[in-house]
Amino acid sequence: MPAEAPSSGDGAEPGAPRERRRRRGRARARTEALLHTLKRSRRVKANDRERNRMHHLNAALDELRSVLPTFPDDTKLTKIETLRFAYNYIWALSETLRLAEQCLPPPPAFRGAAAPPSPGSDAGSWLSSASPSAPSLCASASGPSSPATSEDCAYAPADSLRGFRGLPAGPGAPLR
DNA sequence: TAGGCCATCTGGTCCT
DNA sequence: AGGACCAGATGGCCTA
């Protein structure tokens, strides 16, 4: 029983507009609260996805770290160091191949053999499933020019990579 | 204590 | 509409 209900009973009582306003206000508050919780739950879900995405990114970065030599062995490279090091490491390896191909004539068995996929010919597989244990032999001989000074790198990775960690990024796309 | 690194949250933008 | 991606903000942890 509403105490404020007038006794006239025809529904057009003078107090009705105020009551209607009050109800509308309550409805709007309910809608806003609903909207707020909806937005909130969407945000929470988005945060969850973002966290997941970053975890995947970090896992990939860990995989990359695991195939890079570090000195000493237990050193953990930071993210930026990992990327720079990988860049320089790849450069050193391709440079090593290039020089090896220059110095050594290819063995007869290699002549006429099907060329392994080059990065250019199969970009998809290189990006998605390249195995560190089976690198392409076709690293571009005209690849990146030296990412470091020639004294720093020479062409022997085992020794020269020691100094790579802190080196400035190479040409083209400076990884700073 | 300052500075570097990192994880997380957040809002904006683009894509499907 | 919803998800992916991105960049800025923030706070915690660690080290010199």
Side-chain angles (χ1 to χ4, degrees):
Chain A
M1 305 298 178
E4 68 273 24
S7 54
S8 56
D10 61 357
E13 67 277 0
R18 200 187 308 168
E19 173 63 15
R20 228 176 287 151
R21 263 201 304 274
R22 211 177 299 158
R23 279 188 198 157
R24 216 175 295 156
R26 279 200 293 263
R28 179 191 286 203
R30 248 201 320 271
T31 312
E32 278 177 3
L34 221 59
L35 210 63
H36 183 260
T37 54
L38 183 67
K39 275 185 183 174
R40 185 66 219 161
S41 82
R42 276 187 195 154
R43 227 319 110 196
V44 168
K45 268 206 259 180
N47 289 348
D48 206 44
R49 283 194 304 273
E50 177 66 9
R51 217 179 301 128
N52 232 348
R53 197 180 68 85
M54 295 311 292
H55 286 169
H56 279 113
L57 187 63
N58 287 338
L61 215 46
D62 278 340
E63 273 184 62
L64 181 57
R65 264 188 207 107
S66 72
V67 299
L68 294 175
T70 57
F71 311 96
D73 285 345
D74 58 344
T75 312
K76 187 185 178 185
L77 299 173
T78 66
K79 292 180 173 182
I80 186 70
E81 282 172 343
T82 302
L83 293 175
R84 285 184 178 147
F85 191 6
Y87 180 91
N88 292 333
Y89 189 48
I90 291 168
W91 175 85
L93 293 179
S94 49
E95 192 70 359
T96 303
L97 275 176
R98 189 179 67 79
L99 290 170
E101 281 166 7
Q102 267 182 10
C103 301
L104 306 171
F110 261 79
R111 291 187 202 129
S118 69
S121 67
D122 191 3
S125 69
W126 263 72
L127 286 175
S128 62
S129 62
S131 162
S133 59
S136 168
L137 294 176
C138 284
S140 166
S142 59
S145 51
S146 169
T149 65
S150 55
E151 298 94 334
D152 286 333
C153 299
Y155 68 91
D159 290 330
S160 59
L161 288 175
R162 222 170 283 263
F164 271 19
R165 185 173 166 173
L167 290 178
L175 298 175
R176 292 174 194 279

